[in-house]
Structure formats: structure tokens, C-alpha cells
Amino acid sequence: MREDDKRAMLRHTAATVAYRGAKAIRGAPDGFADFKAGETTRTPLEILAHIGDLFDWALTMAEGKTVWNNSRPLAWEEESNRFFASLKKFDDFLASDSPLACQTEKLFQGPVADSLTHIGQIAMLRRMFQSPIRGENYFKAEIEKGRVGPEQQDSRVEFD
């Protein structure tokens, strides 16, 4: 696969992260951000902050710096905005002509795949908090490369 094709696929994956992330965090009820499912688990807010850290890290690796930061979580709305902002910076870099300083496969298998795991955790915690998100046929979702902000399409084909 050509490097341009790999970058395009990684950009589509970033758009998928935005779509699924927006669905998981949109409309979260009061108190959800600080919900603890167990004594040693992260709260949804801590998980969301970690996802922002993952995309900050991904960008540094793409640029050849490899810098990790454990951010102190902000308020839910601010952390949601930070998630989309860090994802956008990463996507903007992928969309640019700047060379990648690491393999696209490594970016996918590390921070990008990890972010999908954590978005799934938030979705699961929503269910445990009695505020589940509806299931959806993601194959039919309107996901577009470059659409990585909170302005995602409403779910079109949800399952009952």
C-alpha cells in the first residue's frame, strides 16, 4: 500500500474515532464524568483526558518527537473540547505534506487503536450509569475523512 493511501486510511480512522467519541460523550448526564465503576477504575473524565493525551502523543510521534504527558483532567465540557482539538491537530498533520517521522501502522496500533478501546469504555460506563447510548450500524454511518470535530452526523441507522 502506498504511503498516501496509508495516511488516508489513518485519517478515515481518526474521523471514525471522532464519530464514535462524539456519540459516547454527547449528552452525558450530570455526575457521569466522576462515576467510578470500581475502586481501581478510571472515571469517564479521566478516560477522556487520557484519550486527549493519546492524540497529543500521536502528533509528537508523527513529528518525530515522542513526548508523553499525563494531563490533569479538565471539566467534562473542556475535556470534550480538548479531545476534538487534539484529534484535529493530529488529522491536520496527516492531511499536510509534512513527512511522517514514524510508520502509519505504528500510529494505528498504538495511540489510535487505544483511543477506540477507551471510547468503548466510556460507552460501557454510560450503560452502567443508566444512560446508555443506542447501538448503531456503524457500517452505514456517515463518517468522512477530515470531519474530526464534535459536529458529527446524527446516527442514521440505530439498532433497537
Side-chain angles (χ1 to χ4, degrees):
M1 184 182 281
R2 293 176 336 145
E3 190 59 35
D4 287 351
D5 294 335
K6 291 178 184 180
R7 280 177 89 139
M9 184 62 182
L10 198 55
R11 289 192 67 214
H12 185 79
T13 305
T16 301
V17 168
Y19 184 89
R20 288 181 174 230
K23 185 169 179 163
I25 64 180
R26 182 186 312 119
D30 291 340
F32 174 70
D34 299 316
F35 174 63
K36 290 282 278 185
E39 216 174 285
T40 60
T41 62
R42 289 178 179 162
T43 66
L45 180 61
E46 291 168 332
I47 294 169
L48 188 56
H50 179 67
I51 296 169
D53 292 343
L54 286 170
F55 283 103
D56 289 345
W57 179 49
L59 179 59
T60 68
M61 287 189 289
E63 295 172 333
K65 301 174 197 164
T66 311
V67 177
W68 176 259
N69 183 38
N70 279 320
S71 297
R72 178 181 210 129
L74 306 168
W76 183 257
E77 188 67 30
E78 293 172 275
E79 205 57 65
S80 297
N81 292 337
R82 179 176 165 257
F83 159 62
F84 291 113
S86 63
L87 187 55
K88 181 168 180 5
K89 287 177 192 171
F90 178 64
D91 184 67
D92 286 348
F93 183 86
L94 293 174
S96 76
D97 292 331
S98 299
L100 279 177
C102 63
Q103 295 177 334
T104 54
E105 294 88 347
K106 295 290 187 178
L107 288 170
F108 176 80
Q109 77 186 34
V112 176
D114 199 27
S115 72
L116 287 166
T117 297
H118 294 306
I119 289 167
Q121 289 173 323
I122 293 172
M124 182 185 68
L125 290 170
R126 288 281 301 259
R127 184 166 294 280
M128 292 174 71
F129 196 72
Q130 305 301 312
S131 178
I133 60 172
R134 291 187 51 116
E136 178 177 348
N137 183 343
Y138 290 104
F139 182 83
K140 295 184 177 184
E142 294 181 31
I143 297 172
E144 295 178 16
K145 180 177 63 174
R147 188 189 307 151
V148 294
E151 68 291 336
Q152 297 297 314
Q153 296 291 319
D154 289 334
S155 299
R156 302 277 185 207
V157 185
E158 290 186 340
F159 297 118
D160 290 328

